[in-house]
Amino acid sequence: MEQTREQSMESIILETAERLFLDKGFALTSTTEIAREAGCNQALVHYYFRTKEQLFIRIFEEKIKIFAGAFFSIDEKPGTFLEKLTRKIEAHFDIIAQNPKIPFLIINEITTNPQRIKALHKSIGEYPASIIRKINEELEEAIAQGEVRPITVLDLILTVLSLNVLPQLLRPILEEVMPLPPEEVQKLIARRKEENVKLIINSLRP
């Protein structure tokens, strides 16, 4: 029973820290605030995660993997390159739509603390690079077969990431500055998913 309570408190601290980091970023979040919001003392936060930095790194790495995982996952379903790419674009867009604060967190941290990327690379190793090589092989085969025009895999990835991330980055402007009702923002973002697929797929056709 004691172990269950400890596991529960550790989860509560982690969930609380995640919410605060996503809302305020690393610099503006303190372990004192995390402890207060989680309903425990500061010593317990340090007991489970040692430092705020280690707690943040755990959450940051998880969010990076969520952010990139949908696009960089291996697609074993049958289909042409463009059909597989369409599924990747849609899955990646959906993940960002379900976690709209992730792009803000990532952009803020890699611009204010570039060392995060080096630490992340040590953590996740060469897996992303191996997936990129796999996508590149499929892309080059599609180019050779005349299915798509010549394009580098990095240009393709940057296009997808840029188009999928931008609606969430602009969401506060749409909601507060325009302003658009929440239901209209949702409809607009849903349309962007369709438009992004059309823009990317059509741009790749020979």
Side-chain angles (χ1 to χ4, degrees):
M1 182 65 70
E2 182 65 27
Q3 184 178 11
T4 301
R5 283 201 297 269
E6 288 186 2
Q7 289 174 340
S8 178
M9 179 50 67
E10 181 178 2
S11 299
I12 290 171
I13 293 171
L14 192 62
E15 291 170 4
T16 302
E18 177 180 323
R19 173 172 55 81
L20 291 172
F21 285 140
L22 286 172
D23 285 343
K24 304 172 65 174
F26 175 79
L28 296 179
T29 301
S30 67
T31 52
T32 302
E33 183 179 15
I34 293 171
R36 183 176 64 250
E37 294 283 332
C40 67
N41 58 48
Q42 193 174 351
L44 204 54
V45 176
H46 292 297
Y47 170 76
Y48 286 118
F49 301 101
R50 300 184 66 83
T51 66
K52 184 178 81 166
E53 176 75 17
Q54 290 188 22
L55 176 55
F56 180 83
I57 288 174
R58 176 168 168 177
I59 293 169
F60 185 72
E61 290 178 354
E62 177 187 324
K63 295 308 175 188
I64 284 278
K65 290 172 183 176
I66 290 173
F67 176 79
F71 186 80
F72 291 110
S73 61
I74 297 175
D75 186 349
E76 300 291 354
K77 294 180 181 179
T80 65
F81 176 81
L82 291 181
E83 288 170 343
K84 290 184 176 182
L85 180 60
T86 295
R87 293 197 291 264
K88 286 182 178 292
I89 296 169
E90 291 176 340
H92 183 253
F93 190 98
D94 289 342
I95 284 293
I96 297 175
Q98 293 163 12
N99 301 270
K101 293 182 180 180
I102 289 181
F104 292 96
L105 179 72
I106 294 172
I107 292 172
N108 181 60
E109 292 304 323
I110 65 176
T111 53
T112 59
N113 190 354
Q115 295 300 316
R116 297 245 184 256
I117 296 300
K118 292 183 180 179
L120 179 68
H121 183 247
K122 289 182 181 179
S123 172
I124 63 179
E126 296 299 320
Y127 179 72
S130 67
I131 298 300
I132 291 175
R133 286 194 293 270
K134 174 64 174 177
I135 296 174
N136 188 52
E137 291 173 2
E138 296 176 347
L139 174 61
E140 289 182 346
E141 182 179 352
I143 292 172
Q145 293 177 351
E147 183 184 357
V148 304
R149 66 176 176 82
I151 185 174
T152 69
V153 69
L154 290 181
D155 281 325
L156 175 58
I157 291 172
L158 286 174
T159 297
V160 174
L161 294 181
S162 300
L163 288 175
N164 278 353
V165 168
L166 189 59
Q168 298 305 330
L169 293 180
L170 294 179
R171 190 170 191 146
I173 296 176
L174 296 173
E175 293 176 340
E176 301 296 336
V177 179
M178 295 294 289
L180 291 177
E183 61 271 15
E184 289 300 320
V185 173
Q186 286 298 114
K187 290 179 182 178
L188 176 58
I189 290 178
R191 288 200 303 273
R192 289 316 311 168
K193 176 181 173 180
E194 297 178 6
E195 288 298 319
N196 286 359
V197 170
K198 291 177 183 178
L199 284 169
I200 295 168
I201 298 302
N202 288 338
S203 74
L204 291 175
R205 298 190 188 280

